[in-house]
Amino acid sequence: MSFDIIKLLPDSVANQIAAGEVIQRPASVVKELMENALDAGATQIDLYIKDAGRTSITVIDNGCGMSETDARLCFERHATSKIKKAEDLFLIKTMGFRGEALASIAAVAQVELMTRRADDELGTKILIEGSVVKEQLPKPMSVGTNFTVKNLFFNIPARRNFLKSNEVEMRHITDEFFRVAMMNPEVSFSLSHNEKEIYHLPKGNLKQRIVGLCGKDYDKKILPVQQETETATINGFIVKPEFLRKTRGEQYFFVNKRFIKHAYLHHAIENAYQELIPKDCFPGYFIDIEIDPKEIDINIHPTKTEVNFQDVKLVYAILHSAVRKAIGQNNLAPMLDFDVTPDLGFDLGEASRMDRPVVEPNIDFNPSFNPFKSQPQTRHSSGNWKILYEDNNDTVASNINKISNFDDVNVATVVDNKNLYIQLQQSYIVTTMKSGLLIVDQHLAHMRVLYEKYLREMENNIESSASQQELFPQHITLGANDASLLKEIMPDLEKIGFRIQQMNATTFIINGTPADSKNNDAVALLEKILDMYKTNIVDLKLDKKLNLARSLASQLAIKSGQSLNPIEMQDLIDRLFACAVAEVSPDGKKIYTILNVNELKTRLN
């Protein structure tokens, strides 16, 4: 006997499946509720978080509110007020429209909704737990909506266990708060965590909003960008080249005030800064692209952070032109002006006074000097090559030491064990061994050595005494998320030699750096480490200690182009082969190769 095996899923199960796409962590709930508040026409939105969203998330707005029927219906799947027919999907002007967010949230949390319209005497209160309505009753309240989401993933323990630390989850929440608040300066926002207010953003213009979110110093760091065409209108701000940092912190793209990620358009801005910033710096920007909704498709990703443009090359050109124009108008781009006067505007002090006596230059004159006579050759002299063919009792090492005029080869020997060490192009160490030649990439080798050292110190809870104290302690001011990240990894940084003191929520003092850092600028070094740490979190999803050890080793390892003396070369190779894994670097690249005698014979015959 056969049975039908395909059945319709119960709504509760279907909602949990949808929640897997839409609600990934507390920050996902924050995004959906704040966007709904904006769509409701709110001019004041307050966000209250407890325990990084694990305990509760509350969003209170003064928007239009909902009727009793709408309050109940909004928790049904595919229930939305934003679209009525399929064509509306290509005319989206609101933030939320899929009709799955509230149903998904209600499926994996305990939700309390209180809402009231201006025309109603009483509001409506609804309690839902795991998609099941527990209570619905009238409620006296002010106009607007209060959403409280408690115990997220209470009925899916496995999902709850996969949540990160409070610091990490709070950074994701702050990211979403920034993305919603940034391009809506006409709306007041506030963010509180564990009853402590973190952000209070009154109504204002876009520049005031950026300053409120990123810090007061941004008032002087940013330039306006404006470009209006028939296809698109560009509005926003870019960070001045001289204030760019070595982290990717301030990079915000919006399309019709909706946050997006777009690598191709990022390249348009990066290219506009070309030749104005060092290679290891990143452009900062806060850009909104206003475009006809018919020209874009935003329903290609569950979180709606990816967008397709019908003519992305044209948008690229408009954006690139707008940024270049902004830089040029503020006299930041190099300019040639052949009509300027010789007066450069500098005060040269006493040296520029024309009433000072002119001193005759002292010139050494050699009457026998003939500039056309060939001079003795001091480089690549043919005499140096004779020693390759002379039959004498010198060792091979001493012979090669005599050839000291090669541009890219540093030849040296270690007297103790008679080993020969050659540094090729200040990047590779070549040394002899029984079977042939060992060729080592000095940067990758040192990276492996430092990686295992730092990992050992952090795992064994060893505090490194090798710290290089700063003669003048340096201050570093970070964004809220980077400051939170630094605070999280600071105990591990202390173990490997950093000495950092927190002054306030976003400012730190660097009193010392690891001895391996040598002459590195402390602030630039810390910024690079934070940037690589964040990149590894996103791209590789590394464990915290592995991530930090890898980030530190990459930044502090000796670089290609750095000259090493024979003692340093021998020490590096000895330390490399004392490592647990000497063959590959932490990022999986091959550290060394061996060229054996048989290969040499094959190549020379």
Side-chain angles (χ1 to χ4, degrees), residues 185-197:
E186 71 283 356
V187 180
S188 300
F189 288 88
S190 72
L191 168 60
S192 299
H193 185 216
N194 292 337
E195 300 182 356
K196 180 180 179 181
E197 188 172 72

Side-chain angles (χ1 to χ4, degrees), residues 97 234 271 420 474:
F97 59 87
I234 309 293
N271 195 32
L420 172 69
Q474 297 195 49

